[in-house]
Amino acid sequence: MVHLDHIPEDASPVSVSQAGLIRLNGPARAIALDVLRVNSLQTGAYVSHFRGRGMEFDESRPYQPGDDPRSIDWRVTARSTTAYTKLFREERERPVLVVTDLRANMHFATRGCFKSVNASRAAALIAWAAHHRGDRLGGIIFGDTVHRELKPRLGRRSALRFVHQLVDHPDWQTRTDADDSDALTQAMSALRRVARPGSLVVIISDFTDFSRAAQAYLSSVARHNEVLAVHVSDPLERELPPPGRYRLVAADDEMAIDTFAAAARRDYENDYAERAHELERFCQRYGVHLMELSTNDDPVSTLQTALGRRNP
């Protein structure tokens, strides 16, 4: 377990403040976003590197042995008798898009803080790290009722704008009984529309209702961009507590759960494991980097461990 060493003891476990997310500016300096080694903390075997800064199309030339087949310029190739490949040049500032999930299912925790709170802290850390690296920052912040898109911009004001939109999002206050299972799909559809080739895309979510349509949109984004999926979860979702009867309390409701039945416990844990494995298989298939973030993890230490530390 990683303790919340970088989060003040008096920080709310159920909400975020602008001052609290701005304070993460300092720790974010140590989070690397240039040459990153991303380890899947769940499997321990999935290791890869981000490509670095965004790339912009320059010209096409005849295909040569060793060229990446994914860079074939099919439009030019179709007009010629030989294959052509695209050449790219570095952009001065790479777009970084941070997609943050604030749906009702994210406002939950049995340990640490709400999934939405740790997701917002991780999002703010990535935003500040992008600012320190000189990248253009944008993103999508979505819940069950409101979907906000922020175009990539450069500078400290862009990071402050992102933090303000996180804190001010209406879905912190809105509690809806509507089952909007399309919210994540709509966010992935919007991401496919706004993500420029060569961007770094970070999606912070519990990936509940990760539909086939959402997967199709995200796989399309991953073909032309570097994508990091931060899977947020609570310990209770992964494994039920010891056999007994427990009470769960919400703002205006409560419920009791009975964990005595061995078969029910086994089905519950198998169901979560299958969803997690499906996400892992998707990420491996489409080259999406995957890391885990629990509600009782310190997002600063977790991001530094997974992504690497930035050289001073």
Side-chain angles (χ1 to χ4, degrees):
M1 179 188 301
V2 181
H3 299 287
L4 303 177
D5 298 328
H6 295 89
I7 307 300
E9 291 185 2
D10 59 349
S12 171
V14 300
S15 64
V16 292
S17 68
Q18 188 156 307
L21 297 187
I22 290 175
R23 279 197 295 268
L24 295 174
N25 180 10
R29 291 181 181 275
I31 295 173
L33 283 186
D34 34 24
V35 180
L36 302 179
R37 178 176 291 273
V38 180
N39 302 276
S40 172
L41 304 183
Q42 186 175 17
T43 67
Y46 179 48
V47 181
S48 55
H49 288 276
F50 281 109
R51 300 187 192 100
R53 289 195 178 275
M55 307 300 285
E56 192 173 74
F57 175 72
D58 190 15
E59 63 178 349
S60 295
R61 63 154 170 76
Y63 182 87
Q64 299 175 0
D67 286 345
D68 188 342
R70 293 174 298 180
S71 297
I72 291 178
D73 190 330
W74 294 108
R75 183 175 299 179
V76 176
T77 298
R79 300 197 302 264
S80 174
T81 57
T82 185
Y84 275 75
T85 188
K86 294 179 180 178
L87 297 181
F88 298 86
R89 57 183 172 83
E90 285 191 336
E91 289 182 338
R92 194 170 64 86
E93 304 101 10
R94 171 189 56 177
V96 175
L97 297 174
V98 184
V99 182
T100 313
D101 185 352
L102 296 180
R103 293 175 295 165
N105 43 283
M106 293 289 290
H107 303 298
F108 170 81
T110 60
R111 301 180 201 172
C113 60
F114 274 6
K115 290 188 286 184
S116 54
V117 170
N118 241 12
S120 296
R121 290 170 178 167
L125 284 162
I126 296 292
W128 287 117
H131 160 61
H132 292 312
R133 188 177 179 276
D135 290 326
R136 287 179 286 125
L137 171 68
I140 297 172
I141 305 170
F142 72 99
D144 293 301
T145 63
V146 176
H147 172 111
R148 290 180 174 173
E149 296 178 17
L150 304 175
K151 293 183 179 179
R153 294 179 183 172
L154 195 61
R156 177 181 172 84
R157 290 182 64 181
S158 179
L160 288 171
R161 174 193 60 160
F162 184 84
V163 164
H164 174 75
Q165 294 290 345
L166 268 177
V167 174
D168 190 54
H169 196 281
D171 279 86
W172 285 106
Q173 308 299 331
T174 303
R175 294 293 182 267
T176 175
D177 293 330
D179 180 18
D180 186 5
S181 58
D182 292 333
L184 179 59
T185 301
Q186 292 168 0
M188 295 300 97
S189 174
L191 176 63
R192 187 182 66 168
R193 173 171 48 80
V194 302
R196 284 187 54 193
S199 299
L200 168 60
V201 177
V202 182
I203 304 167
I204 308 172
S205 172
D206 63 1
F207 290 92
T208 298
D209 296 319
F210 190 36
S211 67
R212 295 298 181 190
Q215 293 178 31
Y217 291 134
L218 184 54
S219 65
S220 177
V221 171
R223 290 190 189 101
H224 308 288
N225 301 278
E226 207 73 39
V227 180
L228 167 63
V230 181
H231 181 214
V232 187
S233 63
D234 180 80
L236 183 66
E237 296 175 312
R238 302 190 295 271
E239 182 179 7
L240 287 171
R245 189 170 177 81
Y246 299 89
R247 189 165 61 105
L248 297 179
V249 180
D252 54 0
D253 194 14
E254 67 176 71
M255 64 177 294
I257 61 172
D258 186 328
T259 64
F260 281 105
R265 293 173 59 84
R266 188 166 53 250
D267 290 344
Y268 178 92
E269 292 166 10
N270 288 342
D271 183 60
Y272 176 86
E274 176 55 33
R275 294 197 310 273
H277 290 156
E278 182 180 354
L279 176 62
E280 183 182 336
R281 289 193 295 268
F282 169 85
C283 291
Q284 290 180 340
R285 184 180 305 122
Y286 295 105
V288 173
H289 309 282
L290 176 65
M291 63 169 283
E292 298 289 331
L293 178 66
S294 177
T295 54
N296 56 348
D297 281 344
D298 173 10
V300 177
S301 299
T302 303
L303 285 169
Q304 288 178 350
T305 299
L307 307 185
R309 294 177 179 269
R310 187 183 187 199
N311 293 326

